[in-house]
Amino acid sequence: MAARDAARRAGPARHRPAPAGKLYEEEEDDALPDSDALPDSDDEVELDKPRPIQIVLAHEDDHNFELDESALEKILLQEHIKDLNIVVVSVAGAFRKGKSFLLDFMLRYMYNRTSPCWIGGNTEPLTGFTWRGGCERETTGIQIWSEVFVIEKPNGTKVAVLLMDTQGAFDSQSTIKDCATVFALSTMTSSVQVYNLSQNIQEDDLQHLQLFTEYGRLAMEEIYQKPFQTLMFLIRDWSYPYEHAYGLEGGRKFLEKRLQVKQNQHEELQNVRKHIHSCFSNLGCFLLPHPGLKVATNPNFDGRLNDIDEDFKNELRNLIPLLLAPENLVEKEISGSKVTCRDLVEYFKAYIKIYQGEELPHPKSMLQATAEANNLAAVAGAKDLYSKGMEQVCGGDKPYLAPSDLEQKHQDFRESAIRHFRSVKKMGGEEFCRRYQEQLEGEIEEIYANFVKHNDGKNIFYAARTPATLFAVMFAMYIISGLTGFLGMNSIAALCNLVLGMALISFCTWAYVKYSGEFREVGTAIDQIAEAIWEQRNPRKVFSKLFEVLRRRTVRRALTSVPRQRLSSNNNKKKN
């Protein structure tokens, strides 16, 4: 007891798991397993001491998730349960709303379900999944209880019951993608998802539920029916029992009112409600009162029942059996087929791979999504303004425009489009909007390139550029070949004849491509070569080197012929 008193004086209590069968005995603190840190994926998972085991690890540095396959397999592939159908009860919702606290009462029920006093004694601390008071998050990723409970249903079949705790949503360290991934994974793998809410069902709660379930539905292939099973809205700290009574019946009436689709509702509100109805086979709601001021304000509260209000305890006695009594257990099904413990391991592996990849779109916050839509609309308006201006100048049946004039018009309309983009009121801030302005400028350049091609197509000389270039090459090679052959430069003449033949073949090939429409890649290559030659059409550039070679060869022949003439004249003199 002295150890416990010292812990209380040190600050808020962190409540740790206790071994099975010893949850409600007074123990010394050193009998409890050390759970300051959950077992790492590389550590051996011991199952002799029941405790929460982390199966989905959250990496805060890159906001990614990793499945601890060895821990999951060690729990679910035990010989006595691996082929049993599984019941998975998961609790999800915003952080610091008492999810782990609720799961520990579920553990009490599972270990003492045959006892009418399963809820425990008034002075027994609440242990199991780690929880504590305060405003900072406690659970990260996804945890499951290491002991899988084997329960016999009223029809005589045995099922395996697994309890799952999830990372709270909307804390200061999690992105929308993190929250959506955890909620979607737990919903996809659970047969009963308890959606833990505070005080009321607000419209943003329904919108987040729509986002998270859609993120889960995207990852599931070939959905022929409702993809998820049971969703239980658990409204904590319900303050309006005079309107809807505590418990299941009051929750049912309240939920019907909240999810009702009305004719005069906005389409957005109707779509949210239709989506939720289309995702879950069963919907329920339970209204739970506030547990009392001692629970909310006492930093040393450790879950003792004598610190909890009587109304809360009474409704808790109704809620837990509603979820976990043998006659109420909901077996996990996927695509209409019941899932065993062995199957669930494979589904976890498949789902986590999907969320680790890039196939799915990343969910965004409402502000980011609105800012993106706002900026994209401004980009689209500016592009449309630019395109309409250019169409009036060189589009459709407009006559050919000189390239310099087209370039000037392009610059004018480009500046006008950018001014239009900047004038539109946009969300997201200067840095965010600058990225979209750069995107606009890039897309305008692409549109301009298309207009240039369209304008060049109207120039009959441009259309005849390739055949004219090839004909000019053939004519030039023919003349040069004859001239060099006459001068005795046979190697150059042969080279010119080769180029002449290649140009003739290219001309015939180009003509066939334009006539038949086949081998378009070959025709494009010929056009590019002809364009390159056309760009160098200045006679100085084309023929300067050739004339230089001819001049040097002529001078060399002249110099070699002079000694021969002198030698022949000397020989004639000697004979005389």
Side-chain angles (χ1 to χ4, degrees):
M1 297 299 293
R4 184 178 293 118
D5 291 339
R8 289 187 178 183
R9 287 192 299 270
R14 180 187 296 270
H15 303 280
R16 301 168 178 172
K22 297 184 180 180
L23 285 170
Y24 319 119
E25 299 178 7
E26 290 291 337
E27 301 178 287
E28 295 299 327
D29 285 349
D30 56 3
L32 297 177
D34 184 9
S35 64
D36 285 343
L38 292 173
D40 294 330
S41 60
D42 297 332
D43 295 342
E44 188 72 16
V45 177
E46 299 178 3
L47 301 181
D48 56 338
K49 296 179 180 180
R51 56 180 172 173
I53 300 296
Q54 190 108 20
I55 60 167
V56 175
L57 310 174
H59 298 298
E60 295 183 0
D61 51 349
D62 59 355
H63 294 279
N64 210 338
F65 293 91
E66 176 188 357
L67 179 66
D68 188 345
E69 296 183 9
S70 62
L72 184 64
E73 291 172 352
K74 188 167 284 291
I75 294 172
L76 292 183
L77 297 185
Q78 298 176 75
E79 195 64 33
H80 69 290
I81 64 169
K82 63 181 182 181
D83 293 321
L84 294 179
N85 293 339
I86 192 167
V87 175
V88 184
V89 178
S90 170
V91 183
F95 80 114
R96 307 310 302 154
K97 301 298 182 184
K99 296 184 296 299
S100 303
F101 179 76
L102 176 68
L103 278 161
D104 287 344
F105 279 107
M106 294 186 186
L107 284 174
R108 281 194 174 183
Y109 177 82
M110 295 307 295
Y111 282 115
N112 299 271
R113 59 186 177 278
T114 58
S115 171
C117 299
W118 61 265
I119 199 168
N122 286 331
T123 59
E124 296 171 4
L126 185 63
T127 56
F129 287 93
T130 56
W131 64 275
R132 61 178 174 82
C135 60
E136 297 299 327
R137 73 176 186 181
E138 175 69 13
T139 306
T140 60
I142 294 179
Q143 301 174 13
I144 60 175
W145 191 248
S146 63
E147 182 174 352
V148 181
F149 303 94
V150 178
I151 305 297
E152 185 173 341
K153 298 182 70 175
N155 60 7
T157 60
K158 290 184 177 181
V159 295
V161 179
L162 183 69
L163 298 182
M164 181 186 296
D165 193 11
T166 64
Q167 172 179 320
F170 313 122
D171 63 88
S172 60
Q173 302 175 56
S174 300
T175 65
I176 290 294
K177 179 179 181 294
D178 296 340
C179 301
T181 300
V182 170
F183 194 101
L185 269 175
S186 63
T187 305
M188 294 159 67
T189 53
S190 63
S191 54
V192 178
Q193 177 71 291
V194 179
Y195 190 19
N196 192 64
L197 298 174
S198 177
Q199 298 183 338
N200 210 331
I201 299 179
Q202 300 183 151
E203 194 60 33
D204 61 330
D205 297 323
L206 298 180
Q207 291 174 353
H208 287 131
L209 178 62
Q210 179 190 29
L211 171 64
F212 297 163
T213 52
E214 182 62 22
Y215 199 52
R217 187 158 66 170
L218 281 174
M220 303 181 75
E221 299 177 355
E222 300 181 359
I223 302 173
Y224 301 111
Q225 53 189 353
K226 295 182 179 181
F228 312 120
Q229 289 176 264
T230 298
L231 177 68
M232 172 67 75
F233 288 87
L234 179 61
I235 314 301
R236 309 285 288 270
D237 308 339
W238 178 249
S239 303
Y240 316 105
Y242 49 86
E243 292 185 355
H244 298 283
Y246 297 132
L248 185 64
E249 184 60 26
R252 182 186 64 79
K253 295 178 180 178
F254 173 69
L255 186 64
E256 285 181 357
K257 186 176 180 181
R258 273 289 183 269
L259 296 185
Q260 183 181 5
V261 179
K262 302 176 183 178
Q263 291 296 329
N264 59 348
Q265 275 180 327
H266 191 278
E267 182 182 0
E268 176 184 332
L269 304 179
Q270 292 184 6
N271 289 338
V272 170
R273 286 152 177 79
K274 290 177 182 178
H275 174 89
I276 294 172
H277 281 293
S278 69
C279 281
F280 293 93
S281 301
N282 299 298
L283 291 171
C285 181
F286 196 96
L287 304 179
L288 199 62
H290 195 283
L293 286 179
K294 288 184 179 180
V295 176
T297 60
N298 184 3
N300 297 317
F301 173 70
D302 59 1
R304 297 169 190 261
L305 293 180
N306 56 8
D307 292 333
I308 301 176
D309 284 1
E310 198 62 35
D311 285 344
F312 184 88
K313 290 184 284 188
N314 290 336
E315 295 303 330
L316 205 58
R317 291 185 181 98
N318 297 326
L319 170 64
I320 303 301
L322 180 68
L323 299 172
L324 295 174
E327 62 273 15
N328 295 328
L329 292 176
V330 179
E331 297 172 53
K332 177 62 182 171
E333 295 182 3
I334 295 180
S335 300
S337 301
K338 293 185 177 180
V339 176
T340 65
C341 294
R342 188 203 306 267
D343 297 335
L344 188 63
V345 173
E346 300 305 319
Y347 279 114
F348 256 112
K349 292 178 182 179
Y351 292 152
I352 201 72
K353 284 182 181 178
I354 293 173
Y355 287 115
Q356 286 174 339
E358 296 295 330
E359 294 84 1
L360 298 182
H362 287 196
K364 302 177 177 66
S365 67
M366 294 181 185
L367 173 61
Q368 186 177 5
T370 305
E372 285 188 2
N374 184 214
N375 279 270
L376 287 173
V379 169
K383 279 171 53 181
D384 185 62
L385 179 66
Y386 173 83
S387 297
K388 286 181 178 179
M390 294 294 287
E391 284 285 347
Q392 294 177 356
V393 171
C394 64
D397 56 354
K398 299 294 181 181
Y400 172 73
L401 186 66
S404 59
D405 295 339
L406 183 63
E407 171 73 18
Q408 183 60 46
K409 293 293 183 182
H410 158 68
Q411 294 295 339
D412 294 342
F413 290 131
R414 178 179 177 277
E415 292 299 324
S416 177
I418 292 175
R419 282 197 304 272
H420 174 81
F421 174 81
R422 290 175 176 172
S423 67
V424 176
K425 292 183 178 180
K426 299 177 292 298
M427 301 175 67
E430 186 66 27
E431 286 293 328
F432 188 83
C433 296
R434 186 176 295 115
R435 296 203 306 266
Y436 287 90
Q437 180 176 331
E438 293 172 357
Q439 175 183 336
L440 171 64
E441 292 172 355
E443 292 180 1
I444 284 178
E445 291 301 323
E446 293 178 2
I447 297 173
Y448 172 64
N450 291 331
F451 274 114
V452 169
K453 292 179 180 178
H454 180 69
N455 186 63
D456 288 341
K458 298 175 183 179
N459 187 351
I460 59 173
F461 294 102
Y462 181 85
R465 176 179 294 182
T466 297
T469 301
L470 293 176
F471 181 78
V473 169
M474 289 188 288
F475 180 77
M477 292 300 104
Y478 177 76
I479 297 298
I480 296 172
S481 173
L483 179 61
T484 54
F486 176 76
L487 296 176
M489 304 177 190
N490 295 327
S491 58
I492 297 178
L495 180 61
C496 292
N497 287 329
L498 177 62
V499 175
L500 172 63
M502 292 176 62
L504 180 60
I505 294 173
S506 299
F507 179 80
C508 296
T509 304
W510 180 87
Y512 175 78
V513 169
K514 294 300 179 182
Y515 174 76
S516 65
E518 300 177 357
F519 308 109
R520 291 164 50 180
E521 295 80 4
V522 177
T524 301
I526 296 174
D527 284 329
Q528 292 174 348
I529 295 172
E531 184 175 0
I533 297 174
W534 182 269
E535 294 297 331
Q536 303 294 327
R537 62 186 180 273
N538 190 330
R540 288 186 178 181
K541 294 181 180 180
V542 178
F543 297 112
S544 59
K545 291 186 178 181
L546 182 59
F547 287 155
E548 181 65 22
V549 171
L550 291 175
R551 186 183 65 79
R552 290 178 180 178
R553 292 296 297 269
T554 304
V555 171
R556 189 177 300 165
R557 289 177 63 88
L559 291 176
T560 54
S561 63
V562 170
R564 290 178 182 176
Q565 292 177 357
R566 290 180 179 177
L567 181 60
S568 60
S569 61
N570 291 335
N571 291 335
N572 292 332
K573 289 180 179 179
K574 288 179 180 180
K575 289 179 181 180
N576 294 329

